[in-house]
Amino acid sequence: MNHLIAPSLLSADFANLAKDIDMVNKSEADWFHLDIMDGVFVPNISFGFPVIEKIRKYTEKPLDVHLMIIQPERYVERFVKAGAYLVSVHYEASIHLHRTIYAIKDAGAKAGIVLNPHTPVHLLENIIKDVDLVMIMSVNPGYGGQKFIEETYTKIVWLKNLIQQSGSEALIEIDGGVDLNNVASLIKSGADVLVAGNTVFSSTDPLKTIHLLKTAGTDDHKDQEILG
Ligand code: DX5
Ligand code: ZN
């Protein structure tokens, strides 16, 4: 399948969210990536239900909700009710992960698992067939604009093997430090969905940047576009 692009609103202008949402609506991006942080699982606090419920009224694309909170099972149904298309919880944050995944699905959303950079892919062996997506963190979660961790490429290849061997249909999403220099290699390694925060929202031409991310590694892609 062609890869998907999910701009992360964490790097948007919170005083002008409607403007940035409108830009993503008009762009070639596929999903909105929403980062929910509780100040406990990660050393940062972002936003919660009131903001998502409002955002949902303006967004014209699915909401990809990334929960960086402890015991996410307490809230998954509320995130689905608030408008999430996909809810992803961290492997490290949910003790009864199988139950949490089915709580998300029963609530009517797609369900994903997120792996921190230190968490090995093989830990998903017995749950890979139950999930719609696995997100590999390519930075330590908590902040936008961090440096991409190169070990991610190895994890993508291992995850792809696990998915293919098990007959799972899970997508592979990459979150953190995705930019115009690494996007093509990530796709080539097997990534299906690329989150991009800083790369999109700090760009002088976010629509063009999304276009370049979207066409990277495809036949539409022109090297000179990336280079200059
Ligand atoms: C980090 C978040 C990311 C973040 C990505 O904890 O999960 O989604 O917004 O930002 P960039 O693309 O700037 O690394
Ligand atoms: Zn995220």
Side-chain angles (χ1 to χ4, degrees), residues 49-180:
F49 300 114
V51 175
I52 297 181
E53 283 158 7
K54 286 281 182 202
I55 284 176
R56 190 65 200 123
K57 297 202 168 90
Y58 296 97
T59 51
E60 294 168 6
K61 298 178 182 190
L63 302 185
D64 163 26
V65 175
H66 174 193
L67 298 185
M68 285 162 274
I69 64 177
I70 59 164
Q71 298 171 352
E73 55 278 1
R74 293 172 298 162
Y75 295 109
V76 292
E77 281 171 26
R78 282 186 67 187
F79 281 105
V80 177
K81 276 207 180 92
Y85 162 77
L86 166 78
V87 177
S88 296
V89 298
H90 270 259
Y91 176 89
E92 305 83 6
S94 185
I95 294 176
H96 299 289
L97 195 52
H98 185 276
R99 180 181 288 151
T100 307
I101 290 303
Y102 279 94
I104 297 169
K105 290 184 164 184
D106 289 346
K110 303 270 183 201
I113 295 176
V114 194
L115 300 179
N116 271 340
H118 71 278
T119 305
V121 161
H122 70 79
L123 291 174
L124 300 181
E125 263 172 32
N126 300 98
I127 197 159
I128 192 71
K129 280 201 277 191
D130 299 290
V131 295
D132 299 299
L133 178 143
V134 176
M135 195 189 308
I136 298 177
M137 289 308 301
S138 37
V139 298
N140 285 295
Y143 301 95
Q146 301 183 79
K147 191 174 176 296
F148 179 85
I149 296 171
E150 297 290 325
E151 178 71 6
T152 304
Y153 291 111
T154 307
K155 289 180 80 171
I156 297 175
V157 172
W158 287 352
L159 179 56
K160 195 86 188 170
N161 277 341
L162 180 62
I163 289 170
Q164 283 169 349
Q165 281 170 15
S166 66
S168 162
E169 293 183 354
L171 298 179
I172 300 177
E173 182 167 12
I174 306 301
D175 188 9
V178 172
D179 61 24
L180 294 175

Side-chain angles (χ1 to χ4, degrees), residues 8 10 33 35 37 66 68 137 141-145 175-177 195-198:
S8 166
L10 191 64
H33 184 83
D35 289 302
M37 304 177 180
H66 174 193
M68 285 162 274
M137 289 308 301
Y143 301 95
D175 188 9
V195 176
N198 191 52

Side-chain angles (χ1 to χ4, degrees), residues 26-53:
K26 290 196 172 92
S27 77
E28 292 170 63
D30 300 277
W31 295 348
F32 283 86
H33 184 83
L34 304 184
D35 289 302
I36 312 301
M37 304 177 180
D38 66 356
V40 180
F41 182 69
V42 287
N44 199 5
I45 297 176
S46 57
F47 52 84
F49 300 114
V51 175
I52 297 181
E53 283 158 7

